[in-house]
Structure formats: C-alpha cells, structure tokens
Amino acid sequence: MGPDKHNVRPGGRGILATAVTVVCAVTVLAAPGAAFAAPKPTPSPSASASAGTSASVTVLPDKDLEAVRDKLDTLYHDAAVATDAYNAAEEAARKQSAEIVGLAKKIVKGQQRLDELKERAGRAAAAQYRTGGLPDSAKLMLSDDPSEFLDGAGRVLQGERATKALIREVTQTQQDLKQYAADAADQWNRLEAGRKAKAAAKKKITQRIAAAEKLESTLEKKQKERLAELERESAYQAQTAWLDTGILDEIHTKASAAGRKAVAFATAQLGKPYVWGAEGPDSYDCSGLTSQAWASAGKPIPRTSEEQWKQLRHVDVKDMRPGDLIIYFDDASHVAMYIGDGAIIQAPRPGRTVSIGGAGSMPILGVVRPDA
C-alpha cells in the first residue's frame, strides 16, 4: 500500500465529469501543491536555514529522507498485506459461522424427523404384533368373506413395503445427521484456525503501523514536510512515465451504467479516513472502498484485493474503463478504482484519507472488471 498519491497529469480529453466536481476538494487534501500539477521545487537546506529555520532543527539530506520513505513504504506495505489477510479471515469467519448455523438447523430438523420416523416404526411394529398371532391359512379358513381376507393380505403386503421404506428413511436420516455433525465440527475447526490467523494478522498490522508512526515521530516538522514533498515528486514522476507511454491515447472505453454508480459512490467518500479492516460508512481500507462501491452498484465482489484479483475478470490496461479496479504490487496488496483520464480514487494507507491519485503512481499488477 503505497503513500498517498495526488499528482495526476491530465490527459488530452480532460477529467471525467465525476472527477471535475472533486478536484477542488482534492487540492486541499494534497496541499501544498496543486492536485494536477508538478510539485514545486523546494528551497535548498541552506536557503531554508537562512530564511529563519530554527537552529535546533537537523536538516537531513534527501538521500536520508529517501531511506526513511523506503522504510515507511515497507512498513505500510507489510501492514497492507496483513490487512488483506485479516479481511480474508474475517470474511471466511462470516461464511463459516453462517454454515455452522445452517448445519445446526439441519441437525435439529433431522433429529425431529428421526424421532418421528422412530415413532411410526414403533406403531407399525405394535400393529404387526397384534395381528400376527395366526398363520395366513388359518385366517383364510376362519374368514366369513375370503375376498375380504385377500384384500387384507394385499394391504399387509403394502404395509411390509412401507415398513421397508420406513427403515431405509430412518437409516438415511441417521447417516445425514452423522454427516451434518462432522461438517459442523470441520467448520468449527476452520473457524478456530481463522480466529488465530486473524489475531496474528491484527498483531502484525498494529506492530507495523506503530513502527511507522514511531519512525515518523522522530522527524522534525521541516523534515516531515520535505518527506511529503519527496513522496509527491516520486508519485508525479511515476505517473508521468506511465502517461508518457501514450496509454491514454489507447483508452477510450466509457463507463458502464454500474461503473458510473460505483464511481459516484467512491467519489462521495473523498476525505474519509483510511482505517484498516473498515468497510464504511465513515472509514475504509483500500478493498473496503472498492467492494462497497461495487456493492452499491448492485454487483457484490470479493472483500479483499487479492481475491478481487483472483476472481474478477482481467482486462488489458488499454481496455480499462471508469469503475474498473487497478490492482497494485506483485502480491495484489493494494487496489484502487479507475475514474478516467489516468486518475484513480483510493484509500491509500493509515494516516491518509480517500483521495484522487495517479493510476500510474504505483506498480500496476493488472486491471479487473467487476461487471464483465
């Protein structure tokens, strides 16, 4: 999960109508510097000092700040990977809990059916005992109406068949109950394993974020400002290199109706904070934002960026359209929504807010389409 990327060089066709409405808000979130302009040059350390920088502030060289930025990127990336693992465990737990509830209902229903079948079998056995004292030849000779006896014999045969069917149903119900119990036990074991995985992921997330915050806290105000500027410069350079490939000349596809709804939802979340594991409405993580945006468009998709990459249809970058999801990094640990003209909406990382950035500002793994 890379740093907050706000710098996007516009394409020749202008920003999408949906993005135009939020550029002003984004420039505030991205200050200092305009959202769609190259970063302004920073005065040299000596110039800053001569302009009145406190003598107590140690001005780190850019190469040292770059090392800090690399370390922060690594920590936040690790937190992103752990967040995906946490979200996957959370989603699996919901499914397993629902499965356990369903199996419990089947067990209760099956036990009731088994009790009913056993009661019927008991009644049938009692009836057979009461009428089974004389052999059939004696019943025929003693009967006043032989045809009535033969009709009765036919009913006895039907009863025997029904008894056999009853026994088969009892046996099948018992087998079903045994299987339900085994399935429930398996789901409980999976639920417990998932609970441990989720706890481990949570621990890793909190450790990595705490380490990043501790590292950032060691920086002076001027150093933090310069670090933020270096992040924007890096994002701008990556975005520029991506656009210089001429990719926007190849992308002409318009959003689908569902895609427009998803983009509108994501746009409405601008400015809301990133919180790992969050799915709204007040905060989001990267895949929480994209999954909720598409849910609002009537197209439920997997919860995590990794599963979105695995399960959704892949499309070429040159064929992507607004609403498509761009998956980043080799491990699919980050996802953002493409909104057109080389721009994305994303929930970047802890300490940042939902914002507009450059689609090429991070290493692109690929593009997926929820409403293929």
Side-chain angles (χ1 to χ4, degrees):
M1 189 181 308
D4 195 2
K5 312 293 194 296
H6 297 292
N7 296 300
V8 184
R9 197 180 68 183
R13 300 182 303 282
I15 298 303
L16 278 179
T18 53
V20 171
T21 62
V22 297
V23 169
C24 292
V26 175
T27 58
V28 175
L29 296 173
F36 295 91
K40 296 180 180 179
T42 299
S44 65
S46 59
S48 299
S50 63
T53 302
S54 171
S56 63
V57 176
T58 302
V59 180
L60 293 176
D62 281 358
K63 64 181 181 63
D64 291 341
L65 285 174
E66 287 287 3
V68 170
R69 188 170 71 86
D70 288 343
K71 180 63 175 176
L72 288 172
D73 281 353
T74 298
L75 289 170
Y76 282 124
H77 178 266
D78 288 350
V81 174
T83 297
D84 224 34
Y86 178 92
N87 290 337
E90 180 74 14
E91 185 175 32
R94 282 197 292 263
K95 291 180 179 178
Q96 287 155 3
S97 295
E99 186 72 20
I100 289 170
V101 170
L103 287 167
K105 291 180 178 179
K106 288 182 178 180
I107 289 172
V108 170
K109 186 176 181 180
Q111 189 60 56
Q112 291 173 342
R113 179 60 177 164
L114 184 61
D115 292 343
E116 177 187 338
L117 291 172
K118 287 182 176 179
E119 184 179 351
R120 284 173 52 190
R123 290 198 302 267
Q128 186 176 7
Y129 176 79
R130 287 194 300 270
T131 60
L134 293 174
D136 289 344
S137 57
K139 292 178 182 178
L140 178 60
M141 287 186 293
L142 295 174
S143 175
D144 294 331
D145 187 347
S147 63
E148 182 179 346
F149 169 78
L150 293 175
D151 289 342
R155 287 194 295 272
V156 169
L157 182 60
Q158 292 176 354
E160 290 176 350
R161 291 173 178 171
T163 299
K164 290 179 180 178
L166 180 62
I167 292 172
R168 285 196 299 270
E169 189 172 358
V170 168
T171 302
Q172 184 61 54
T173 302
Q174 289 174 327
Q175 291 174 347
D176 290 345
L177 284 170
K178 185 177 180 180
Q179 186 61 52
Y180 295 154
D183 290 345
D186 181 57
Q187 290 295 341
W188 273 114
N189 291 334
R190 292 185 182 185
L191 192 63
E192 177 61 14
R195 184 192 66 77
K196 292 179 179 178
K198 189 168 72 170
K202 181 178 180 180
K203 182 178 180 181
K204 184 175 182 179
I205 294 166
T206 54
Q207 286 177 340
R208 296 301 188 273
I209 293 176
E213 291 174 344
K214 182 177 180 180
L215 178 58
E216 290 178 312
S217 71
T218 64
L219 301 175
E220 301 283 355
K221 180 180 178 181
K222 290 292 184 181
Q223 294 169 349
K224 291 179 180 178
E225 291 173 353
R226 179 56 181 156
L227 180 63
E229 191 166 8
L230 289 172
E231 291 177 356
R232 289 193 295 273
E233 288 174 358
S234 176
Y236 179 79
Q237 291 168 4
Q239 175 72 357
T240 299
W242 183 68
L243 293 176
D244 283 347
T245 64
I247 187 65
L248 290 192
D249 295 333
E250 300 183 47
I251 301 175
H252 302 290
T253 311
K254 295 182 179 180
S256 64
R260 287 193 294 272
K261 291 179 181 178
V263 170
F265 178 94
T267 302
Q269 314 312 310
L270 285 168
K272 293 184 178 181
Y274 176 102
V275 174
W276 64 267
E279 300 176 80
D282 300 321
S283 58
Y284 297 88
D285 63 18
C286 67
S287 57
L289 176 64
T290 55
S291 60
Q292 289 303 306
W294 273 100
S296 75
K299 301 285 185 178
I301 63 174
R303 169 64 177 88
T304 69
S305 58
E306 184 178 354
E307 288 304 312
Q308 288 170 7
W309 174 244
K310 286 181 180 178
Q311 297 185 34
L312 301 180
R313 178 190 168 191
H314 293 199
V315 297
D316 289 338
V317 174
K318 64 181 178 61
D319 295 326
M320 68 180 173
R321 64 192 186 193
D324 286 348
L325 305 182
I326 303 180
I327 310 296
Y328 293 97
F329 305 107
D330 290 341
D331 53 8
S333 57
H334 187 62
V335 60
M337 179 176 291
Y338 184 65
I339 59 174
D341 286 314
I344 55 171
I345 288 180
Q346 62 170 336
R349 66 163 173 81
R352 303 292 168 82
T353 61
V354 177
S355 54
I356 290 179
S361 58
M362 295 169 285
I364 295 176
L365 176 62
V367 179
V368 295
R369 178 163 296 161
D371 61 336

